[in-house]
C-alpha cells in the first residue's frame, strides 16, 4: 500500500475524503460524476493496489449495470427510446440517469475504500478525542469490545462442544446458545465495572483541560495542506452543485453549458496522485 497521506496528519486525509465524497454526490452531471469515478479509481489503484481494486470492481460493475437497467425500466418521463422488448421499454434519458447513478455509487464505494486505507481507527478516534472525548471513548470501546465478545462467544461454544458427546438436538442447541448469552452478559458486566473504576482512577470526566497522548501532532504544514485541500474541495463542490446541476435529463437531455463544472473537481481528485508522485520523487 502506498499511502500518499502518510506524511501528514490524519485530519488532512479526512478533509480530502470528505470533500471528495461531497463533490461526488453534489450533482448528477455526468461530467462531474465521471470525473469523480475516474479519480476514485485512480486513487484506489495508487493507495490499495491493482489487486484490491480489481476485487472491488468485480462486484461494483454488476451493481452499476443493475442500477442502470432498473432505472431505465421504472422511469416513463423520457423523449427517446433505446430499445423495446414487447411491453418493456428502455428509455434513453432514464438509462443515462441510471448509468450516472451507478457511477456515483461506485465512486462513493471506492472513496470509502481508499479512506479506510488512509484513516485508521486510532486516527479517527484521535481526531474527535479533543472535541468529543465521550464519543471517542465510546467508539474506541465498541471497536475493542465487539471483536472481544465474538471471540469469547466462540470460546464458550468450543468448550461446550468439547464437553458434549453425540449429535446435538435442536432444544440442546437453543439451550447452549442461551448459556453463551448468559456467560457473555455476566462477563461484560464484570468488565464494565472494572473499566469504570479504571477510567475514574485516570480522571476521566474531570473538569479542566487535560493532556493526552498524541501519535502525531498537527503541525503548521498539516494545517496549510488541510486549508488548501479544503478550499479546492469547496470550489469543486460549489461548481458541481450550482453549475453542474444545470444539466437536465428529463424530459430531454440538455447540458446547458454545464460541462466546465468538473474542472475544479479534476484538481481535487488529482491530489492523491500528486502527493504520491511527490513522495516517489522525494524518496528517489
Amino acid at each position: 500500500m502506498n499511502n500518499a497521506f502518510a506524511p501528514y496528519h490524519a485530519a488532512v486525509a479526512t478533509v480530502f475524503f470528505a470533500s471528495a465524497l461531497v463533490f461526488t454526490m453534489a450533482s448528477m452531471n455526468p461530467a462531474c460524476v465521471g470525473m469523480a469515478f475516474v479519480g476514485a479509481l485512480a486513487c484506489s489503484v495508487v493507495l490499495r493496489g491493482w489487486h484490491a481494486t480489481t476485487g472491488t470492481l468485480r462486484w461494483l460493475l454488476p451493481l452499476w449495470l443493475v442500477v442502470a437497467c432498473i432505472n431505465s425500466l421504472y422511469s416513463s418521463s423520457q423523449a427517446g427510446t433505446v430499445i423495446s422488448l414487447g411491453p418493456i421499454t428502455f428509455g434513453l434519458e432514464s438509462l443515462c440517469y441510471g448509468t450516472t447513478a451507478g457511477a456515483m455509487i461506485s465512486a462513493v464505494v471506492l472513496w470509502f475504500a481508499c479512506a479506510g486505507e488512509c484513516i485508521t481507527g486510532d486516527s479517527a478516534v484521535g481526531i474527535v478525542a479533543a472535541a468529543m472525548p465521550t464519543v471517542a471513548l465510546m467508539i474506541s470501546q465498541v471497536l475493542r469490545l465487539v471483536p472481544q465478545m465474538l471471540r469469547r462467544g466462540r470460546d464458550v461454544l468450543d468448550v461446550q462442544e468439547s464437553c458434549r458427546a453425540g449429535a446435538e438436538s435442536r432444544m440442546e442447541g437453543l439451550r447452549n446458545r442461551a448459556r453463551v448469552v448468559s456467560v457473555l452478559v455476566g462477563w461484560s458486566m464484570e468488565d464494565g465495572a472494572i473499566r469504570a473504576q479504571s477510567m475514574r482512577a485516570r480522571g476521566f470526566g474531570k473538569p479542566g483541560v487535560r493532556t493526552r497522548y498524541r501519535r502525531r501532532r498537527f503541525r503548521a504544514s498539516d494545517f496549510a495542506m488541510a486549508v488548501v485541500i479544503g478550499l479546492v474541495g469547496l470550489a469543486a463542490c460549489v461548481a458541481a452543485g450550482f453549475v453542474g446541476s444545470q444539466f437536465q435529463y428529463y424530459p430531454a437531455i440538455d447540458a446547458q453549458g454545464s460541462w466546465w463544472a468538473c474542472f475544479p473537481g479534476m484538481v481535487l481528485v488529482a491530489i492523491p496522485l500528486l502527493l504520491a508522485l511527490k513522495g516517489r520523487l522525494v524518496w528517489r
Side-chain angles (χ1 to χ4, degrees):
M1 182 186 68
N2 183 20
N3 185 359
F5 295 94
Y8 302 96
H9 192 270
V12 177
T14 303
V15 171
F16 169 76
F17 286 110
S19 302
L21 287 170
V22 174
F23 167 71
T24 303
M25 298 181 290
S27 173
M28 284 296 292
N29 189 306
C32 297
V33 176
M35 183 57 59
F37 176 77
V38 172
L41 183 63
C43 182
S44 179
V45 172
V46 171
L47 300 181
R48 303 171 63 223
W50 283 102
H51 183 72
T53 303
T54 304
T56 304
L57 290 176
R58 287 176 182 174
W59 61 269
L60 268 184
L61 294 180
L63 176 63
W64 189 346
L65 179 62
V66 169
V67 172
C69 293
I70 290 178
N71 187 79
S72 62
L73 288 173
Y74 281 91
S75 180
S76 59
S77 301
Q78 50 208 0
T81 300
V82 177
I83 188 175
S84 296
L85 300 175
I88 302 176
T89 301
F90 291 89
L92 174 62
E93 289 77 12
S94 56
L95 182 61
C96 293
Y97 187 92
T99 302
T100 305
M104 178 185 292
I105 296 174
S106 302
V108 169
V109 171
L110 290 174
W111 283 130
F112 272 112
C114 294
E117 296 291 340
C118 299
I119 306 173
T120 62
D122 294 338
S123 300
V125 171
I127 292 174
V128 300
M132 298 177 291
T134 303
V135 175
L137 177 63
M138 292 173 58
I139 294 174
S140 63
Q141 291 299 309
V142 169
L143 292 176
R144 179 183 179 184
L145 293 180
V146 170
Q148 184 186 77
M149 293 289 288
L150 294 176
R151 184 172 62 254
R152 287 178 172 179
R154 287 191 294 266
D155 292 340
V156 176
L157 285 175
D158 292 340
V159 171
Q160 292 184 151
E161 289 290 333
S162 63
C163 297
R164 179 176 56 82
E168 181 184 60
S169 64
R170 179 174 299 179
M171 185 60 64
E172 290 177 348
L174 295 175
R175 191 180 299 112
N176 290 336
R177 269 57 180 182
R179 188 179 298 112
V180 171
V181 174
S182 176
V183 172
L184 292 179
V185 169
W187 217 336
S188 62
M189 293 179 66
E190 294 176 2
D191 288 347
I194 295 173
R195 285 188 172 87
Q197 294 175 0
S198 175
M199 296 303 297
R200 191 179 299 110
R202 296 179 182 182
F204 182 82
K206 296 292 183 180
V209 180
R210 300 173 61 240
T211 59
R212 64 184 186 277
Y213 172 72
R214 297 179 181 177
R215 296 186 60 184
R216 181 67 180 271
R217 291 187 176 275
F218 192 71
R219 303 168 299 181
S221 58
D222 299 325
F223 176 76
M225 181 60 68
V227 169
V228 171
I229 294 177
L231 292 176
V232 174
L234 179 62
C237 295
V238 170
F242 288 95
V243 182
S245 60
Q246 296 177 5
F247 188 94
Q248 296 180 0
Y249 289 91
Y250 304 108
I253 295 177
D254 185 7
Q256 297 184 3
S258 60
W259 299 102
W260 69 269
C262 68
F263 290 117
M266 186 184 305
V267 179
L268 175 66
V269 300
I271 289 177
L273 307 181
L274 297 176
L275 293 179
L277 179 61
K278 175 188 175 183
R280 292 187 178 183
L281 294 177
V282 170
W283 282 105
R284 286 184 179 180

